[in-house]
Every structure is written in structure tokens, then in C-alpha cells.
Amino acid sequence: VLQTGLVLAAVALLSRHLKSQLNLASWQVSIVTALLAAPVLAPLEIGNRILTEGIAYFLFLMAVRSLLVALKTRSRVPAIAFFAFSALCARTRTQFVFLFPISGLLLVWLAASDRDWRGAGLLAAALVATITAGSALDRSYRLWKHDEFISIPFKGLQLIAPALYLSESADESRLDPAHRELFRALRDRASRAGQLVESNPDPGGVSSYAYHYSQVFADIVWQTIARGLAEHDLGKPMLSSAQDYIAAERTLRPMALPLIRARPRAHIRLYVSNLLAGLGISYTLLLALIGPLLLWRGFVSRQPLAMVVATCLILHLTNCGFVAIVAPVWPRYTFDTDWLLLAALFLLVSQAFGTSAASKEPR
């Protein structure tokens, strides 16, 4: 109830801002509100399946509102609010680190727009301060809770999944001797379960390549890597505590990076396949066609609606781009920006139809 209430409050604030910025009709505001609220309401409820997703969606919507205000007014206060919401959002779910590059783009755009280099320096200091404070808060919590001053211990588990999927048996020579036995055990486990790229029945096409990875991704992470590591290093059937994940992080990250460096082309291909399969080929073509025009009209001509839609497009593509590095581009990772972009595209189409109808009215 709490997280749904927070999301609905953020939806109301964002919808009201869009109404005032774009001079929307009441029916347009109603549809935008429904689209933005859909991820936390029945029957979809994708935003409520994990507690942190609902909280992160609230923070994300507040960040988007601050971003749009900053772009419209070119003011430092909403820009700093965007930095702060982004830092909190990324600390709630690591996926939202994609907001940090957006923060950098906002900083550059504001500096280039106003030529206020002193103000840009203040904004840069605020950006560094919010990111640093968020990281320190996150690490301090883990220090208090688990006596370890570290960030969320999950990056190794994420990075090793595509690395193991694409690996070959000869890659063990690239690892430290301490990791070779574990690599052989995990790879043998994945091979027997048909979880490696060599088991892909149709490796030729982009969609089939990403489809096979999406079919085995969850099992690679939880059945092969997490369970295999626990049995190999910890002598237990599964990672079951924060200390287990901290220990796993120290083991898996040094393994993942040499495996990624061993096969850069394969990782690039898997990345592109994940991204295109997640977006859909036709949707990708649509965004590629309208994207440059929206960016030009939004940030060069500064047309309000184009700026809103272009901003939502940038957010969505950046989000999907970060997800595709390690995981299939599934709706549970993209719903935040997906529904936002859907609402923005609805406004683009509805405004176009409204303009067309008005031009045909008799004078």
C-alpha cells in the first residue's frame, strides 16, 4: 500500500507538470496518468513484484519530473533535485546507474545553453557530491549491518553470467590458478545443462542468439553459478546470507573480467542481440527514424513536446543499453522507462492529430 501510494503521488505530480508544460487537455492527462500508473496496478503490477522495484519506480518518476523541470527552466535547483533522486534510485536498485550518464548530459546541456561556467561548476560539484553521498550511505549501511564497507555485492554474479555463457574450456588459462578449478566446475555444470552458447540450436540469427540466452539466463545465475559456487567454496546448497554474497563477489568479479576480455567480439554480439531482441526490430527502426528529428526539435529548436519525448527516448534507450550488458532486456528491467516512453509517444501522436484536425476547421 505504501509503495503504490508513493508511485501514484509521483504519477500525479508528473502528470500535472506535463499538463502545464504542454498545455494538455484533460483527456490526455487522464490517459498519461493511467499509462504511468499501470505498472503498479492490477492486472499488470510488474512494479510491485519486488519491494525495491516499487520504491525505485517512485524515485524514478520524481527524478523524471525534476529532469523535465530543469530542461524547461534551465534552473540549477531542479537539476540538483534530479541528481539527488538519481543517486537514491541507483542505491535502491543498481540498474538505475544509467541515470548518472543522463545527469552528465544534463550538466553539459545546461552549461552549453547558458554559458554560465560558474553555475556549471556548482552543478558538477553537486553531481559529484550526490553520487558520492549515495555510495557512502549504501556502503555505510553494509558496514553497520555486515562489517563490510562495500557496495551491493551482486556485480560479480551479473558479470559472470554472460562470460560463462560465451566461454570455452581453453579460457581457464587466462584465470588465476586459484580460480581455474571453480571455472571448470561451473562450466562443466553449465555444459551438462545446455546453458552455454555451444548448446544454442540456432546460433546464426540475432533473435535466436538472444532468445537462447534469455532461456538459460536465470538458470545460469541461480542454478549453475550461485548454487555451484556455494557448493564448491562454502560447502552449502545455496547462497543464503549477505555474507555469502559478499564472499561470492570477491570470487566472481576477478573471474569475470578476464573471461570478458578473452572474447570481446562475442560479448559485443551478445550485447547487440540482447538489445535488439529486447526492443524489437520494428520498434528499433521506428525509434531510429524519429529519434534524430526529436533530438533536433527538442534540444536545438527547443520545441516543448519534442523535448519531452526526446528525453523519454534517451532515458529508455540508456536503460535498455545498460541492462543488455549482462542480462536479457526483459520487461521487469525496462518497465520504468518503457511505460514512460509509451506515454510520451501517445502525447506526440495525440498532439499531431489535434493539430491536423485544427488545421482543417473552417475559418
Side-chain angles (χ1 to χ4, degrees):
V1 171
L2 174 62
Q3 68 190 49
T4 302
L6 288 172
V7 168
L8 294 180
V11 167
L13 289 172
L14 179 55
S15 297
R16 187 159 68 173
H17 170 74
L18 290 172
K19 180 181 181 179
S20 63
Q21 180 175 351
L22 303 177
N23 194 26
L24 302 178
S26 297
W27 67 274
Q28 291 175 303
V29 176
S30 299
I31 293 178
V32 167
T33 300
L35 291 173
L36 294 177
V40 297
L41 299 178
L44 191 62
E45 291 189 299
I46 191 172
N48 281 338
R49 293 181 182 175
I50 299 176
L51 178 62
T52 54
E53 288 180 348
I55 302 300
Y57 189 42
F58 156 72
L59 293 169
F60 172 70
L61 292 175
M62 295 300 294
V64 171
R65 180 183 179 276
S66 299
L67 175 60
L68 294 178
V69 174
L71 291 172
K72 177 185 178 183
T73 63
R74 301 201 295 276
S75 173
R76 289 197 292 269
V77 173
I80 294 173
F82 173 67
F83 299 159
F85 279 121
S86 297
L88 289 173
C89 205
R91 298 279 66 85
T92 306
R93 284 188 68 79
T94 310
Q95 168 197 344
F96 284 93
V97 294
F98 80 85
L99 290 173
F100 294 156
I102 303 298
S103 299
L105 290 175
L106 174 63
L107 175 62
V108 171
W109 188 78
L110 291 175
S113 297
D114 296 336
R115 307 285 182 177
D116 181 5
W117 306 117
R118 181 175 178 275
L122 292 174
L123 280 179
L127 175 58
V128 173
T130 53
I131 294 176
T132 303
S135 178
L137 179 64
D138 183 31
R139 291 169 177 266
S140 297
Y141 168 78
R142 216 147 275 107
L143 177 65
W144 168 69
K145 193 76 174 177
H146 307 296
D147 296 324
E148 299 279 354
F149 190 68
I150 59 173
S151 60
I152 297 173
F154 204 69
K155 299 180 183 67
L157 197 59
Q158 293 171 324
L159 289 172
I160 196 67
L164 185 64
Y165 175 74
L166 297 169
S167 67
E168 296 182 3
S169 57
D171 292 341
E172 70 172 88
S173 62
R174 296 178 175 270
L175 301 175
D176 295 334
H179 295 131
R180 291 175 185 175
E181 183 182 349
L182 175 60
F183 170 74
R184 285 194 296 267
L186 294 180
R187 194 175 186 283
D188 181 65
R189 192 180 186 120
S191 180
R192 284 185 279 108
Q195 297 169 354
L196 300 178
V197 67
E198 63 192 31
S199 302
N200 187 346
D202 184 18
V206 168
S207 59
S208 64
Y209 196 72
Y211 178 76
H212 182 255
Y213 183 65
S214 70
Q215 293 298 299
V216 300
F217 172 75
D219 286 338
I220 288 178
V221 173
W222 299 112
Q223 299 301 319
T224 296
I225 300 172
R227 192 178 294 276
L229 177 65
E231 292 175 356
H232 186 274
D233 280 7
L234 305 177
K236 56 174 66 176
M238 196 64 183
L239 302 178
S240 56
S241 68
Q243 293 299 338
D244 291 347
Y245 282 95
I246 291 171
E249 181 75 1
R250 290 174 176 154
T251 299
L252 294 176
R253 287 189 72 178
M255 282 183 60
L257 297 179
L259 293 175
I260 293 171
R261 288 194 294 267
R263 314 211 166 273
R265 289 185 180 180
H267 278 82
I268 292 172
R269 183 189 175 198
L270 181 61
Y271 172 79
V272 174
S273 300
N274 281 338
L275 187 59
L276 292 179
L279 289 173
I281 301 298
S282 57
Y283 194 45
T284 302
L285 289 174
L286 170 65
L287 298 182
L289 290 172
I290 68 174
L293 179 60
L294 287 170
L295 290 170
W296 177 266
R297 295 195 64 185
F299 294 102
V300 179
S301 301
R302 298 189 182 181
Q303 198 274 335
L305 178 59
M307 181 178 288
V308 169
V309 182
T311 301
C312 296
L313 176 60
I314 293 171
L315 287 167
H316 183 57
L317 293 180
T318 309
N319 181 22
C320 293
F322 268 70
V323 170
I325 295 173
V326 294
V329 184
W330 285 337
R332 63 159 296 190
Y333 299 132
T334 64
F335 76 87
D336 312 79
T337 53
D338 214 346
W339 287 83
L340 180 70
L341 180 58
L342 180 62
L345 291 175
F346 158 73
L347 289 178
L348 183 66
V349 174
S350 64
Q351 291 287 76
F353 274 108
T355 303
S356 177
S359 65
K360 294 180 180 179
E361 290 180 359
R363 295 177 180 270

PDB file of all heavy atoms in Angstrom, residues 243-256:
ATOM      1  N   GLN A 243      26.558 -12.391   3.910  1.00  0.00           N
ATOM      2  CA  GLN A 243      27.974 -12.743   3.949  1.00  0.00           C
ATOM      3  C   GLN A 243      28.335 -13.694   2.810  1.00  0.00           C
ATOM      4  O   GLN A 243      29.431 -13.631   2.260  1.00  0.00           O
ATOM      5  CB  GLN A 243      28.311 -13.376   5.301  1.00  0.00           C
ATOM      6  CG  GLN A 243      28.209 -12.420   6.481  1.00  0.00           C
ATOM      7  CD  GLN A 243      29.170 -11.241   6.370  1.00  0.00           C
ATOM      8  OE1 GLN A 243      30.181 -11.296   5.676  1.00  0.00           O
ATOM      9  NE2 GLN A 243      28.852 -10.147   7.042  1.00  0.00           N
ATOM     10  N   ASP A 244      27.394 -14.581   2.452  1.00  0.00           N
ATOM     11  CA  ASP A 244      27.640 -15.477   1.313  1.00  0.00           C
ATOM     12  C   ASP A 244      27.802 -14.686   0.024  1.00  0.00           C
ATOM     13  O   ASP A 244      28.684 -14.977  -0.799  1.00  0.00           O
ATOM     14  CB  ASP A 244      26.474 -16.462   1.156  1.00  0.00           C
ATOM     15  CG  ASP A 244      26.420 -17.473   2.283  1.00  0.00           C
ATOM     16  OD1 ASP A 244      27.398 -17.584   3.044  1.00  0.00           O
ATOM     17  OD2 ASP A 244      25.384 -18.157   2.407  1.00  0.00           O
ATOM     18  N   TYR A 245      26.956 -13.673  -0.174  1.00  0.00           N
ATOM     19  CA  TYR A 245      27.040 -12.868  -1.398  1.00  0.00           C
ATOM     20  C   TYR A 245      28.307 -12.019  -1.410  1.00  0.00           C
ATOM     21  O   TYR A 245      28.890 -11.775  -2.470  1.00  0.00           O
ATOM     22  CB  TYR A 245      25.803 -11.988  -1.535  1.00  0.00           C
ATOM     23  CG  TYR A 245      24.600 -12.746  -2.028  1.00  0.00           C
ATOM     24  CD1 TYR A 245      23.658 -13.270  -1.145  1.00  0.00           C
ATOM     25  CD2 TYR A 245      24.410 -12.973  -3.389  1.00  0.00           C
ATOM     26  CE1 TYR A 245      22.566 -13.980  -1.598  1.00  0.00           C
ATOM     27  CE2 TYR A 245      23.321 -13.690  -3.853  1.00  0.00           C
ATOM     28  CZ  TYR A 245      22.395 -14.183  -2.946  1.00  0.00           C
ATOM     29  OH  TYR A 245      21.316 -14.904  -3.406  1.00  0.00           O
ATOM     30  N   ILE A 246      28.726 -11.554  -0.241  1.00  0.00           N
ATOM     31  CA  ILE A 246      29.972 -10.791  -0.155  1.00  0.00           C
ATOM     32  C   ILE A 246      31.152 -11.677  -0.535  1.00  0.00           C
ATOM     33  O   ILE A 246      32.041 -11.277  -1.294  1.00  0.00           O
ATOM     34  CB  ILE A 246      30.143 -10.222   1.263  1.00  0.00           C
ATOM     35  CG1 ILE A 246      29.085  -9.129   1.518  1.00  0.00           C
ATOM     36  CG2 ILE A 246      31.543  -9.653   1.456  1.00  0.00           C
ATOM     37  CD1 ILE A 246      29.030  -8.649   2.950  1.00  0.00           C
ATOM     38  N   ALA A 247      31.152 -12.910  -0.024  1.00  0.00           N
ATOM     39  CA  ALA A 247      32.213 -13.852  -0.374  1.00  0.00           C
ATOM     40  C   ALA A 247      32.164 -14.200  -1.864  1.00  0.00           C
ATOM     41  O   ALA A 247      33.201 -14.308  -2.525  1.00  0.00           O
ATOM     42  CB  ALA A 247      32.088 -15.119   0.473  1.00  0.00           C
ATOM     43  N   ALA A 248      30.951 -14.358  -2.410  1.00  0.00           N
ATOM     44  CA  ALA A 248      30.802 -14.658  -3.831  1.00  0.00           C
ATOM     45  C   ALA A 248      31.328 -13.522  -4.701  1.00  0.00           C
ATOM     46  O   ALA A 248      31.967 -13.755  -5.735  1.00  0.00           O
ATOM     47  CB  ALA A 248      29.335 -14.932  -4.147  1.00  0.00           C
ATOM     48  N   GLU A 249      31.079 -12.290  -4.285  1.00  0.00           N
ATOM     49  CA  GLU A 249      31.553 -11.131  -5.043  1.00  0.00           C
ATOM     50  C   GLU A 249      33.067 -11.137  -5.166  1.00  0.00           C
ATOM     51  O   GLU A 249      33.626 -10.854  -6.236  1.00  0.00           O
ATOM     52  CB  GLU A 249      31.071  -9.848  -4.362  1.00  0.00           C
ATOM     53  CG  GLU A 249      31.455  -8.566  -5.051  1.00  0.00           C
ATOM     54  CD  GLU A 249      30.637  -8.292  -6.296  1.00  0.00           C
ATOM     55  OE1 GLU A 249      29.744  -9.101  -6.628  1.00  0.00           O
ATOM     56  OE2 GLU A 249      30.901  -7.290  -6.964  1.00  0.00           O
ATOM     57  N   ARG A 250      33.752 -11.459  -4.079  1.00  0.00           N
ATOM     58  CA  ARG A 250      35.214 -11.456  -4.090  1.00  0.00           C
ATOM     59  C   ARG A 250      35.782 -12.544  -4.990  1.00  0.00           C
ATOM     60  O   ARG A 250      36.885 -12.417  -5.502  1.00  0.00           O
ATOM     61  CB  ARG A 250      35.722 -11.636  -2.662  1.00  0.00           C
ATOM     62  CG  ARG A 250      35.471 -10.419  -1.785  1.00  0.00           C
ATOM     63  CD  ARG A 250      35.853 -10.695  -0.372  1.00  0.00           C
ATOM     64  NE  ARG A 250      35.687  -9.489   0.453  1.00  0.00           N
ATOM     65  CZ  ARG A 250      35.464  -9.499   1.752  1.00  0.00           C
ATOM     66  NH1 ARG A 250      35.364 -10.663   2.395  1.00  0.00           N
ATOM     67  NH2 ARG A 250      35.323  -8.383   2.422  1.00  0.00           N
ATOM     68  N   THR A 251      35.013 -13.593  -5.192  1.00  0.00           N
ATOM     69  CA  THR A 251      35.466 -14.687  -6.046  1.00  0.00           C
ATOM     70  C   THR A 251      35.108 -14.452  -7.509  1.00  0.00           C
ATOM     71  O   THR A 251      35.929 -14.681  -8.411  1.00  0.00           O
ATOM     72  CB  THR A 251      34.850 -16.017  -5.576  1.00  0.00           C
ATOM     73  OG1 THR A 251      35.267 -16.282  -4.237  1.00  0.00           O
ATOM     74  CG2 THR A 251      35.272 -17.159  -6.476  1.00  0.00           C
ATOM     75  N   LEU A 252      33.894 -13.989  -7.766  1.00  0.00           N
ATOM     76  CA  LEU A 252      33.376 -13.968  -9.130  1.00  0.00           C
ATOM     77  C   LEU A 252      33.886 -12.796  -9.965  1.00  0.00           C
ATOM     78  O   LEU A 252      34.126 -12.950 -11.168  1.00  0.00           O
ATOM     79  CB  LEU A 252      31.847 -13.956  -9.104  1.00  0.00           C
ATOM     80  CG  LEU A 252      31.191 -15.222  -8.540  1.00  0.00           C
ATOM     81  CD1 LEU A 252      29.684 -15.064  -8.479  1.00  0.00           C
ATOM     82  CD2 LEU A 252      31.570 -16.444  -9.374  1.00  0.00           C
ATOM     83  N   ARG A 253      34.033 -11.615  -9.380  1.00  0.00           N
ATOM     84  CA  ARG A 253      34.487 -10.473 -10.180  1.00  0.00           C
ATOM     85  C   ARG A 253      35.884 -10.684 -10.772  1.00  0.00           C
ATOM     86  O   ARG A 253      36.102 -10.397 -11.956  1.00  0.00           O
ATOM     87  CB  ARG A 253      34.447  -9.192  -9.355  1.00  0.00           C
ATOM     88  CG  ARG A 253      33.039  -8.686  -9.111  1.00  0.00           C
ATOM     89  CD  ARG A 253      33.014  -7.327  -8.482  1.00  0.00           C
ATOM     90  NE  ARG A 253      33.410  -6.273  -9.416  1.00  0.00           N
ATOM     91  CZ  ARG A 253      33.431  -4.984  -9.113  1.00  0.00           C
ATOM     92  NH1 ARG A 253      33.062  -4.581  -7.912  1.00  0.00           N
ATOM     93  NH2 ARG A 253      33.792  -4.092 -10.000  1.00  0.00           N
ATOM     94  N   PRO A 254      36.859 -11.206  -9.992  1.00  0.00           N
ATOM     95  CA  PRO A 254      38.174 -11.474 -10.607  1.00  0.00           C
ATOM     96  C   PRO A 254      38.116 -12.555 -11.683  1.00  0.00           C
ATOM     97  O   PRO A 254      38.977 -12.586 -12.571  1.00  0.00           O
ATOM     98  CB  PRO A 254      39.027 -11.946  -9.416  1.00  0.00           C
ATOM     99  CG  PRO A 254      38.352 -11.395  -8.216  1.00  0.00           C
ATOM    100  CD  PRO A 254      36.889 -11.411  -8.530  1.00  0.00           C
ATOM    101  N   MET A 255      37.107 -13.427 -11.642  1.00  0.00           N
ATOM    102  CA  MET A 255      36.931 -14.422 -12.692  1.00  0.00           C
ATOM    103  C   MET A 255      36.289 -13.828 -13.936  1.00  0.00           C
ATOM    104  O   MET A 255      36.668 -14.147 -15.064  1.00  0.00           O
ATOM    105  CB  MET A 255      36.045 -15.574 -12.185  1.00  0.00           C
ATOM    106  CG  MET A 255      36.726 -16.573 -11.295  1.00  0.00           C
ATOM    107  SD  MET A 255      35.572 -17.894 -10.851  1.00  0.00           S
ATOM    108  CE  MET A 255      35.157 -18.556 -12.461  1.00  0.00           C
ATOM    109  N   ALA A 256      35.301 -12.963 -13.735  1.00  0.00           N
ATOM    110  CA  ALA A 256      34.503 -12.461 -14.857  1.00  0.00           C
ATOM    111  C   ALA A 256      35.314 -11.588 -15.801  1.00  0.00           C
ATOM    112  O   ALA A 256      35.211 -11.716 -17.028  1.00  0.00           O
ATOM    113  CB  ALA A 256      33.296 -11.695 -14.323  1.00  0.00           C
TER     114      ALA A 256
END
